[in-house]
Amino acid sequence: MAEVIGVYEESGISFTTRSRSEVAGFFEGLELIEPGLSEPHHWKPDPDERPEDIRSAEISMWAGVARTP
């Protein structure tokens, strides 16, 4: 992770690491759409089309879509 942060910072892009619970805070008061807050590769609309070469252990980010209740 330190190497990834270094690459971003060297390019002038700020980078902040956050835990799942910290990211979940951005969705407080909103209604999360399935599959909720998860790794981005789980957002493929058809589970049969998910890339098999991506493992959750290799993903370092969270994705979510929400709407106002």
Side-chain angles (χ1 to χ4, degrees), residues 1 3-4 9 12 16 23-25 27 30 32-34 36 40 42 44-45 49 51-52 56-57 59 61-62 65:
M1 183 56 71
E3 184 178 337
V4 171
E9 288 177 348
T16 303
V23 174
F27 294 94
L30 300 173
L32 276 167
I33 311 242
E34 286 296 322
H42 286 278
K44 287 289 235 174
E49 293 182 20
E52 293 184 20
S56 293
I59 302 296
M61 61 182 68
W62 298 102
V65 175

Side-chain angles (χ1 to χ4, degrees), residues 1-44:
M1 183 56 71
E3 184 178 337
V4 171
I5 293 170
V7 169
Y8 275 90
E9 288 177 348
E10 287 174 12
S11 301
I13 300 170
S14 63
F15 191 93
T16 303
T17 57
R18 291 186 174 92
S19 67
R20 186 182 189 283
S21 61
E22 290 172 318
V23 174
F26 291 114
F27 294 94
E28 261 185 48
L30 300 173
E31 180 183 331
L32 276 167
I33 311 242
E34 286 296 322
L37 186 59
S38 64
E39 292 101 350
H41 66 287
H42 286 278
W43 271 93
K44 287 289 235 174

